[in-house]
Amino acid sequence: MRKVKSVEDLEKWKKDILAKQKQHEMTVSVCGGTGCQAYECQKVKAAFQKGLTQKGLRERVTLKVTGCPGFCEKGPLVTIYPQNVFYQKVKPEDVPEIISETIQNGRKVDHLLFEDPNAHRRITSADQIPFYRSQMRLLLSRNDLIDPTHIEDYVAVGGYQSLAKALFQMKPIEIIEEIKASGLRGRGGAGYPTGKKWEDCKKESGGTKYVICNCDEGDPGAFMDRALMEGNPHSVLEGMLIGACAIGANKGFIYVRHEYPLAHKNAEIAIQQARKAGLLGENILSSGFDFDVEIAKGGGAFVCGESTALIASIEGRVGEPRSKQIRTVKQGLWGKPTNLNNVETWANVPLIIDKGSKWFSSIGTEKSKGTKIFSLVGKVKNTGLVEVPMGITLKKIIFDIGGGQQDGKRIKAVQTGGPSGGCIPASLFDLSVDFDSLSQAGSMMGSGGMIVMDEGTCMVDVAKYFVHFLQEESCGKCLPCREGLKRMGEILDRITEGKGNDEDLSLLEELAEVVADTSLCGLGKTAPNPVLSALRYFRPEFEAHVHEKRCPAGVCTPLIRYSISGTDCTGCGACAKICPTQAIKGEKKQSHLILAEICSKCGSCMDVCKANAVMVQ
Amino acid sequence: MERKTVNVTIDGRSLDVEERSTILLAAREFGMHIPTLCYMDDLSPYGGCRLCIVEISNNGGKPFMDTSCTHEVREGMVIQTKSPRVIRARKMLAELLVASAPNVKMAQDIAARMGLLKVRFPMEDNRCILCGLCIRMCYEQMDGKALGFVGRGMGRKVSMPFEVRPDTCRLCRGCDYVCPGVIVPCQGITEPGELCGRCVRIDEIPTCCSMGTFGCFCEKNPL
């Protein structure tokens, strides 16, 4: 690897890399994100390697394993450049066909192209697919061009140019002013203005300062930070370098959670390569600015995503929050001024420095600028990572990008912000997605989880799930969070078992409000949100559980009963065969019957029945 | 030397209190009572029990709640220690506390003082209320570093490293001394003329005593 000693060196390096890339006629990008790895993209990559070598195409075609382009639902994803042909659900068996057709003859393999479910036509390039069309991919767009284990790929797309600009053309105070003017707000969830945080940290006297990147993303169903860290770790490093330069810090930490091995690995490789290239370490680009980054690995505690708990964890103490009257920008890591930002916030910084605050602040709403990545999951057709400008409506995300309901059941709510957020009912889907509107609706932006729920989801069950999740993840330091969440869980258990009464509902509400008021840290303060928002918008569902002992969505097992419709049953016997408790009786070709007292309510019979004769009440 | 003071308003009274003092200490200096459980003079404030919660407003800003034992006074702060929101929260905290540890005298006392007559949660029988006083006593005052919290959430408990008494523990019993859980609640006199004395007599090792050394000081300590 070459050592970059000045801005001219960096320019020259970029030119050399681009010249070298031009020698190859084509690039095959295979998504190597965690989602596609689960679909065995490694085998697809191996098949390409083998196929290309066999046909003697290795000289002409580059094979790249890249970060996640977001459309996880349709993985493994393969894109062929420069033709920009987007293949989805590629299996190793399909690879020879792609090589002989697309790479050698320039023809498309139709059955691997994305099919528009409404118009029933095949779409060639990714940007024409409805899932991508309404997105604004500022951060994610480079994911499928970059092999995260090669710093050259990042330099080739203009990487580290913003750093050069920040170091040589701007004073630290100008960098901060630029970030302030851009209106960038913390992407971790709370939405604190990033520029103001930097300014506060810069104002603090004292020699040593730290910057931290928070990659302890723990919300169920959220994977935005993971995709950025896995797919484009250098953009995060560059953001941290610029931030450190502005604040006056010389040491940074990336806190990656234990459950993200690939993010950890790619970040580690990125740091090593940046060090070798002279982009980390002493006297970066001969500017006299020293900065180095170290990775701290979390132990898998959700609460360590809270800034003070995260800092305690890096220091080697138990990951527990402390009172935050004295903020971390004053006294953070080892008592020194510390600036902590989320992965996505850091990744936005090089963009703002490169294109200017005016450009950035032209995107979004009045108080929320730029784009936000959401992980769209749940009962929609297209799940995956979506990057949208702030201010887009929920409807647009769920129906245009997500493709709407999955199977016959109407979408009734979306859960945003993970365990700290709340459920927003379908009646409010015209709501603009920004920090303030979501908080007003009783939910929050959070780090960007978005779980879509349809009529088959019981809101009491969802509230129960989140309360139990947080109960497990509470550190246990403060009484309201430890005991209060446990009691809330008990009450919700009672309600879903059909043992709840009116008093339980009022107690639950009162308890939730007190837990939110009195807890020590953000985890406890926002923990009751799923319950409170469910009570606010879906009270009739709670009341049905309490008064009628009935679960309208047919989810809470103690309250439901499976039965077979005599008119629809064909007597095929599939249900009787699969039933684990032998609760289904009946002669062949005769209507079957479920014995309620033996039935374990597992629902297997409903899944296997082809005649849709199994009903749930 | 002149003391530097800041002006704050506590429950409607304008007071000049020492700079950098916590709200709790400032209130106490003027004889205002704020209930506490995990707070003890000369140990670092912990902010775990949340009973000393008060409503704070900085320079007319939106009032928020925080524990008075950890929150320092600032010029112009308006503090409510007995507002309906505070009382409601404190009552609920006391209810949670006494439901979890009904046989701890301190928990009963607090619940009684809050005027709590009925507990709406199923009762448990925990003896340790996880206030962390023993840990801070051991660490900060006795330099023992023998105790700490292990586990998370509901699995949290006080323990020694690997549940073995380390050499740094000198059996000073500072932990017993500060523990609110080891005070046995009085059950009253059962027969006329009897003095039960359970509160000073040590009959059994409380289950919450992590070392199992409670009360066996005399036998086990060679001195």
Side-chain angles (χ1 to χ4, degrees), chain A residues 192-208:
Chain A
Y192 193 81
T194 307
K196 194 167 179 321
K197 202 183 211 175
W198 288 17
E199 191 178 35
D200 290 348
C201 195
K202 183 171 176 60
K203 269 188 207 150
E204 288 302 314
S205 52
T208 318

Side-chain angles (χ1 to χ4, degrees), chain B residues 113-175:
Chain B
R113 267 189 233 127
M114 300 281 165
L116 215 65
L117 296 173
K118 193 172 158 242
V119 176
R120 291 167 289 177
F121 307 110
M123 291 282 200
E124 291 172 355
D125 188 18
N126 295 317
R127 293 296 293 268
C128 177
I129 51 173
L130 301 169
C131 65
L133 280 171
C134 51
I135 296 171
R136 280 175 284 151
M137 182 70 174
C138 184
Y139 194 94
E140 293 168 15
Q141 294 292 330
M142 308 316 297
D143 201 22
K145 300 184 174 64
L147 290 172
F149 282 117
V150 295
R152 191 167 73 206
M154 287 182 300
R156 189 178 173 95
K157 61 174 189 178
V158 176
S159 173
M160 291 187 158
F162 309 105
E163 306 202 336
V164 181
R165 191 171 71 86
D167 294 342
T168 52
C169 168
R170 302 187 299 277
L171 287 172
C172 72
R173 282 191 65 197
C175 45

Side-chain angles (χ1 to χ4, degrees), chain A residues 310-371:
Chain A
L310 186 150
I311 284 169
S313 173
I314 294 181
E315 286 173 2
R317 295 185 286 122
V318 180
E320 267 168 25
R322 63 161 171 81
S323 172
K324 256 211 217 165
Q325 189 194 6
I326 299 166
R327 293 167 45 213
T328 50
V329 290
K330 277 192 172 29
Q331 275 179 34
L333 196 58
W334 291 296
K336 306 285 183 204
T338 303
N339 184 80
L340 181 140
N341 280 126
N342 171 266
V343 174
E344 206 182 322
T345 317
W346 287 122
N348 266 306
V349 171
L351 286 178
I352 295 170
I353 298 297
D354 181 29
K355 299 191 179 170
S357 56
K358 245 194 191 132
W359 164 81
F360 190 81
S361 60
S362 68
I363 307 162
T365 65
E366 192 194 338
K367 285 185 176 164
S368 310
K369 303 291 186 193
T371 59

Side-chain angles (χ1 to χ4, degrees), chain A residues 195-240:
Chain A
K196 194 167 179 321
K197 202 183 211 175
W198 288 17
E199 191 178 35
D200 290 348
C201 195
K202 183 171 176 60
K203 269 188 207 150
E204 288 302 314
S205 52
T208 318
K209 285 177 190 172
Y210 297 104
V211 292
I212 298 176
C213 169
N214 183 351
C215 187
D216 190 72
E217 180 184 46
D219 293 3
F223 45 95
M224 302 76 50
D225 296 351
R226 190 186 72 193
L228 275 176
M229 203 47 129
E230 284 175 1
N232 198 353
H234 286 286
S235 67
V236 181
L237 278 183
E238 192 179 355
M240 288 178 79

Side-chain angles (χ1 to χ4, degrees), chain A residues 15 56 117 142 159 194 224 273 304 306 329 336 360 380 402 419 453 463 465 481 509 566 568 581 591:
Chain A
K15 268 184 200 147
R142 295 190 289 188
T194 307
M224 302 76 50
Q273 291 184 346
C304 284
E306 201 275 344
V329 290
K336 306 285 183 204
F360 190 81
V380 277
M453 298 159 183
Y465 166 78
C481 185
E509 216 164 356
D568 292 333
T581 53
S591 177

Side-chain angles (χ1 to χ4, degrees), chain B residues 21-213:
Chain B
S21 135
T22 61
I23 294 173
L24 177 70
L25 291 180
R28 281 194 177 170
E29 203 185 328
F30 286 92
M32 296 168 160
H33 174 70
I34 297 175
T36 55
L37 175 62
C38 70
Y39 177 81
M40 185 172 276
D41 287 336
D42 299 321
L43 295 183
S44 63
Y46 178 62
C49 75
R50 316 301 287 172
L51 278 167
C52 65
I53 204 120
V54 291
E55 223 176 321
I56 304 161
S57 157
N58 280 319
N59 301 317
K62 196 178 164 225
F64 61 96
M65 310 262 271
D66 199 8
T67 43
S68 55
C69 69
T70 55
H71 209 95
E72 284 179 8
V73 287
R74 292 225 179 108
E75 184 66 38
M77 212 178 234
V78 178
I79 300 146
Q80 299 276 347
T81 71
K82 293 183 185 67
S83 70
R85 189 174 165 201
V86 170
I87 297 292
R88 184 175 99 130
R90 242 181 239 157
K91 262 190 159 171
M92 180 59 88
L93 291 171
E95 194 173 340
L96 287 169
L97 177 72
V98 80
S100 137
N103 290 316
V104 170
K105 180 175 183 294
M106 188 80 108
Q108 284 184 4
D109 288 356
I110 286 167
R113 267 189 233 127
M114 300 281 165
L116 215 65
L117 296 173
K118 193 172 158 242
V119 176
R120 291 167 289 177
F121 307 110
M123 291 282 200
E124 291 172 355
D125 188 18
N126 295 317
R127 293 296 293 268
C128 177
I129 51 173
L130 301 169
C131 65
L133 280 171
C134 51
I135 296 171
R136 280 175 284 151
M137 182 70 174
C138 184
Y139 194 94
E140 293 168 15
Q141 294 292 330
M142 308 316 297
D143 201 22
K145 300 184 174 64
L147 290 172
F149 282 117
V150 295
R152 191 167 73 206
M154 287 182 300
R156 189 178 173 95
K157 61 174 189 178
V158 176
S159 173
M160 291 187 158
F162 309 105
E163 306 202 336
V164 181
R165 191 171 71 86
D167 294 342
T168 52
C169 168
R170 302 187 299 277
L171 287 172
C172 72
R173 282 191 65 197
C175 45
D176 290 352
Y177 177 73
V178 296
C179 179
V182 295
I183 307 167
V184 184
C186 185
Q187 292 185 339
I189 294 164
T190 42
E191 278 178 40
E194 186 203 285
L195 284 176
C196 94
R198 283 177 77 230
C199 50
V200 290
R201 232 176 42 231
I202 299 154
D203 293 333
E204 57 187 285
I205 298 175
T207 45
C208 59
C209 179
S210 58
M211 327 187 183
T213 53

Side-chain angles (χ1 to χ4, degrees), chain A residues 80-95:
Chain A
I80 317 271
Y81 293 104
Q83 291 88 333
N84 205 6
V85 182
F86 180 80
Y87 289 133
Q88 39 102 44
K89 293 196 171 175
V90 179
K91 292 188 190 62
E93 307 86 88
D94 301 326
V95 171

